[in-house]
Amino acid sequence: MTTLTVALLQLARPGPDPARNLALGEAACRRAGAMGADIALFPEMWSNGYSVAIPDGSDDGDVYRHPSLWDGARTSGAPRPESVWLGEPITRDSPFVIHFRELAAELEMAIALTYLERWDGPPRNTLSLIDRHGRLVLTYAKVHTCAFDLPEAGLTPGEGFEVCALDTAVGEVMTGAMICYDREFPESARALMLAGAEIVLTPNACELEINRLSQFRSRAGENMTGMAMANYAGPGWGHSVAHDGIAFADGRSRDTLVVEAGEAEGVYPAVFDLDALRDYRRREAWGDAFRRPAAYRNLTDREVRDPFVRVGPDGAPVPGRGRP
């Protein structure tokens, strides 16, 4: 059996101090390395702990507005969206990222590092996958930012989903990434499967309740893809989870769950049987086996129709889509 172990770093949310987060993150990676992990996966935006400062009164709680309901109350004196983030955005060649590249090489373990990335314009919500040699092999920015409200309205969304051939101790593993809200769109995991992903890494920063957990299970089964998600620890949070995507074996339905954490802080290893997954993908009916793309043309239509028309906190259409 050829196995791949992804360590889900379910850590308490830190503050916006990158130096402290570096030290906490290094300690977690060393624990993962001692467990024999091939990949250590951080929760979302580890560099600043997903820390924000939204002025009182800037959020009235109604974040799903139709433009006809917009009254302008939240545009009067509203802060620049990017200003709500605490902690300085960092670059891929920053000391923070370089430190984890060196750590990955030392531990001979890949690290999926997350951070608030400096960008030309508003920052991005980014994951960089560092291989066991310390090389940056994939950098992905969250495509489906929560553009309906602060703080994520103050981000530049990513533009697509990519996959890399990650060199591991058991050979190359086709690996992709999506972040938090991305997993709520079937297209995210589907695009990664079509790009060749065998394993999808998913940093997260929100409550993982039954509906989100069920969605994630579905993403694994419908794409015959291993899925691993790391969330922050704490009451109402936690539940970092992994599914192997193998829904049937020996002619019978099976549970795809590999591991699900509770709410407590910890490092949770998710062990994927790559031989079984690859054999399953070669012979079963999901993934790209029997799709009919010619029937799905409206999936790329940019027009949004009622009842799904929404606007962001400034009253403008969300990025990437236009009003009808």
Side-chain angles (χ1 to χ4, degrees):
M1 182 171 65
T2 302
T3 62
L4 180 84
T5 300
V6 180
L8 311 179
L9 307 184
Q10 183 167 291
L11 308 175
R13 280 180 63 187
D17 180 0
R20 180 172 182 271
N21 299 350
L22 183 150
L24 292 171
E26 177 178 337
C29 286
R30 290 191 181 280
R31 287 182 62 189
M35 294 177 176
D38 297 288
I39 306 171
L41 174 60
F42 277 96
E44 186 176 7
M45 273 209 215
W46 178 254
S47 71
N48 76 334
Y50 206 96
S51 299
V52 299
I54 300 178
D56 290 344
S58 66
D59 185 350
D60 65 7
D62 187 4
V63 299
Y64 304 103
R65 295 186 175 214
H66 185 285
S68 64
L69 301 177
W70 192 262
D71 60 13
R74 296 165 67 195
T75 61
S76 178
R80 288 177 56 82
E82 59 267 32
S83 71
V84 303
W85 291 103
L86 296 177
E88 286 295 318
I90 61 176
T91 62
R92 301 178 201 180
D93 59 358
S94 66
F96 187 88
V97 176
I98 289 172
H99 182 87
F100 282 97
R101 291 181 62 179
E102 293 170 347
L103 181 63
E106 176 193 340
L107 299 176
E108 298 184 357
M109 176 187 71
I111 297 175
L113 180 66
T114 60
Y115 54 99
L116 181 65
E117 183 185 16
R118 185 180 304 158
W119 199 246
D120 183 15
R124 304 201 308 176
N125 183 342
T126 294
L127 173 147
S128 280
L129 181 57
I130 306 164
D131 74 7
R132 64 189 178 124
H133 309 291
R135 301 175 299 202
L136 284 178
V137 292
L138 177 69
T139 293
Y140 166 75
K142 186 175 184 177
V143 167
H144 297 99
T145 56
C146 298
F148 43 74
D149 198 27
L150 297 176
E152 288 214 353
L155 292 174
T156 298
E159 296 181 348
F161 297 93
E162 298 181 3
V163 169
C164 72
L166 179 66
D167 177 63
T168 75
V170 295
E172 288 189 347
V173 179
M174 298 300 292
T175 306
M178 58 185 182
I179 297 176
C180 200
Y181 191 39
D182 284 329
R183 61 176 157 62
E184 299 196 21
F185 295 85
E187 295 89 348
S188 305
R190 180 55 44 101
L192 288 164
M193 178 276 294
L194 291 173
E198 299 174 292
I199 301 292
V200 175
L201 306 174
T202 310
N204 200 77
C206 72
E207 177 188 13
L208 289 178
E209 40 68 58
I210 186 63
N211 296 299
R212 290 174 175 136
L213 290 170
S214 298
Q215 285 175 331
F216 200 66
R217 179 190 294 270
S218 295
R219 299 296 91 85
E222 66 202 12
N223 292 297
M224 299 193 289
T225 302
M227 307 288 292
M229 176 162 53
N231 196 27
Y232 285 107
W237 290 52
H239 295 280
S240 297
V241 67
H243 290 272
D244 63 18
I246 304 174
F248 289 87
D250 299 323
R252 295 182 179 181
S253 174
R254 64 180 294 277
D255 190 347
T256 63
L257 182 67
V258 175
V259 64
E260 181 182 341
E263 295 179 345
E265 187 170 10
V267 176
Y268 298 88
V271 181
F272 294 92
D273 182 341
L274 292 178
D275 290 337
L277 176 61
R278 287 164 175 168
D279 177 65
Y280 183 73
R281 287 163 64 90
R282 279 191 291 266
R283 60 182 169 76
E284 277 296 353
W286 294 276
D288 196 26
F290 293 98
R291 292 175 65 249
R292 296 190 176 182
Y296 314 147
R297 294 186 185 91
N298 60 348
L299 289 178
T300 57
D301 187 351
R302 289 179 177 266
E303 183 176 352
V304 185
R305 300 173 180 84
D306 279 331
F308 301 113
V309 179
R310 303 291 188 274
V311 294
D314 59 355
V318 298
R321 302 292 293 269
R323 289 182 178 175

